[in-house]
Amino acid sequence: MFPGEFEYHAPETIEEALDLLSRHGSDAKLLAGGHSLIPMMKLRLASSQHLVDLKNLKSSLSYIREENGDLAIGALTTHTEVEVSESLQQKAAPLAEAAGLIGDVQVRNMGTLGGSLAHADPAADQPAPALALEAQLVAQGPGGRRTIPADQFFFGFFATALQQDELLVEVRVAGLGANSGGAYLKVPHPASGYAVCGVAAVVETDGGGNCVKCRVGVTGISDGAYRATGVESALEGSAISADAIAAASAHATDGVEPLDDYFAGADYRRALAATYVKRALTTASERAGG
Amino acid sequence: MAQVSIEVRVNGSTYRKEVEPRLLLVHLLRDVLGLTGTHVGCDTSSCGACTVLLGGLAVKSCTLLAVQADGAEITTVEGLATNGDLHAVQEGFWEEHGLQCGFCTPGFLMATVQLLERNPDPGDAEIRHALEGNLCRCTGYQHIVNAVQNAAGKLREAAS
């Protein structure tokens, strides 16, 4: 299978890439690791007259930096780099764990964090930890940079808040501190490896066994990743216990219309979401301690 | 559409080619450079038969454009043996019968080379996890795991 024809661009700077986006509008597509886009182009589900390859921006957009306990991750950082990063494993475990569960080794060597978020596949892994960690997504456009909170970034099926002339350049998360813990758990589709259900949970306690803050991101279940706010408000302010977690998990799909396909029906997806929210909250609480 | 000029270093030799931007890396290797050891299996980035090393990283060459590899160092299965001596990973697959029909084997060999670079003494579960991106439709996985262990032992011995 071959992609359709296109004109190839490999800009040397972010500004050049933005200029190409401005000039070609909807006729241009950005290529990062290409492990979502190229398969779609081969199947002719995606096409573009202008393909803008970001490989020359690796030197400026591939990094994991720690600043005052916060983490800044360049958009072109690969899943492998996220997976093995000790600072992410320690301070943003859901991101590192999700990265390690994406596709397979070869896919993780090419695929990028920014590419995965900007593509917004409803079964992609990284949107869930981005939501649970309240990531700030930094987009650069012709007018400069702006920051988009993760819960205002995903708009369902392959849709994000990014404008046509913007490039996602960085992902920022506040590192998890003392009394905080996070986890990502997933049910992969046995053939594709995509998430049938993926749940990222972050729990912060008061050190005395009470939940002061809880964030839950869910992917694979509906047409886009979402924050399970019903779960969060049910657990926040409560003493953490198996019963409290189970009761909160019952809200995993409140207000959500689950996908319904031949592999996983809507009822099954609802059950998976509740079960995996429960498990992710349990692990996150254990890691939070107290 | 305009052709693009690329330069790649494959198994130690440098090639300069004019290619269509939509040419996939696996077709550059097979059809342009004549290196047919790299196989096209599923063509949908699932099976790993097309795995090569790009800058030392195992990648699926059916899911890369040749232009993405411009300037890169590539190793294919043809580049594993040196002066007619098989690579330890190839010997391991031979001795442990880590193949039946052999179609998936080049991809398994390349993925194994990276696996053993990252983890010289892997457990069986780690081997299976690291080779998740490669499918063997003869389903000879146990022999493949044995072959990787055999190769890991040879490489560790050579290093000590």
Side-chain angles (χ1 to χ4, degrees), chain A residues 1-8 31-33 35 38-39 42 44 51 53 55 80 104-106 108-110, chain B residues 1 20-22 24 27 43-44 51 57-60 62-65 67-68 70 114 118 129-130 133-134:
Chain A
M1 295 183 288
F2 302 94
E5 292 188 336
F6 54 82
E7 197 168 320
Y8 177 77
L31 178 73
H35 275 49
I38 292 175
K42 287 171 69 178
R44 310 285 172 124
L51 191 69
D53 186 351
K55 67 174 183 179
T80 298
D104 51 53
V105 177
Q106 292 96 321
R108 296 196 287 275
N109 280 340
M110 285 302 296
Chain B
M1 290 287 165
E20 253 194 280
R22 63 174 175 161
L24 297 167
H27 296 302
D43 209 2
T44 55
T51 300
L57 295 175
V59 298
K60 292 178 174 177
C62 79
T63 307
L64 265 95
L65 302 168
V67 287
Q68 287 177 280
D70 181 23
Q114 178 188 263
R118 288 180 178 178
H129 179 63
N134 294 75

Side-chain angles (χ1 to χ4, degrees), chain A residues 57-77:
Chain A
L57 307 187
K58 265 245 126 179
S59 54
S60 49
L61 291 181
S62 172
Y63 54 82
I64 298 168
R65 292 184 195 130
E66 219 173 315
E67 297 158 1
N68 309 320
D70 290 347
L71 297 147
I73 310 162
L76 292 179
T77 307

Side-chain angles (χ1 to χ4, degrees), chain A residues 143-168:
Chain A
R145 292 191 172 195
R146 68 180 178 120
T147 300
I148 309 162
D151 63 357
Q152 292 165 38
F153 186 80
F154 301 105
F155 286 100
F157 209 60
F158 297 102
T160 71
L162 284 175
Q163 299 298 308
Q164 218 151 59
D165 56 1
E166 285 182 319
L167 171 66
L168 179 61

Side-chain angles (χ1 to χ4, degrees), chain B residues 64-81:
Chain B
L64 265 95
L65 302 168
V67 287
Q68 287 177 280
D70 181 23
E73 184 97 26
I74 297 164
T75 308
T76 70
V77 70
E78 289 93 340
L80 287 185

Side-chain angles (χ1 to χ4, degrees), chain A residues 5-81:
Chain A
E5 292 188 336
F6 54 82
E7 197 168 320
Y8 177 77
H9 307 270
E12 297 286 340
T13 63
I14 296 174
E15 289 70 25
E16 263 180 65
L18 293 175
D19 183 52
L20 285 161
L21 284 183
S22 295
R23 237 183 312 143
H24 299 297
S26 60
D27 290 335
K29 271 197 195 299
L30 294 172
L31 178 73
H35 275 49
S36 296
L37 182 57
I38 292 175
M40 289 174 84
M41 289 171 68
K42 287 171 69 178
L43 294 165
R44 310 285 172 124
L45 295 171
S47 65
S48 69
Q49 281 176 275
H50 297 273
L51 191 69
V52 181
D53 186 351
L54 302 176
K55 67 174 183 179
N56 295 328
L57 307 187
K58 265 245 126 179
S59 54
S60 49
L61 291 181
S62 172
Y63 54 82
I64 298 168
R65 292 184 195 130
E66 219 173 315
E67 297 158 1
N68 309 320
D70 290 347
L71 297 147
I73 310 162
L76 292 179
T77 307
T78 64
H79 300 311
T80 298
E81 290 160 344

Side-chain angles (χ1 to χ4, degrees), chain A residues 214-234:
Chain A
C214 162
R215 292 288 178 267
V216 177
V218 181
T219 189
I221 293 296
S222 79
D223 67 352
Y226 64 92
R227 278 257 307 269
T229 49
V231 175
E232 296 172 0
S233 50

Side-chain angles (χ1 to χ4, degrees), chain B residues 102-114:
Chain B
F103 189 86
C104 68
T105 308
F108 269 100
L109 294 174
M110 302 316 289
T112 300
V113 169
Q114 178 188 263

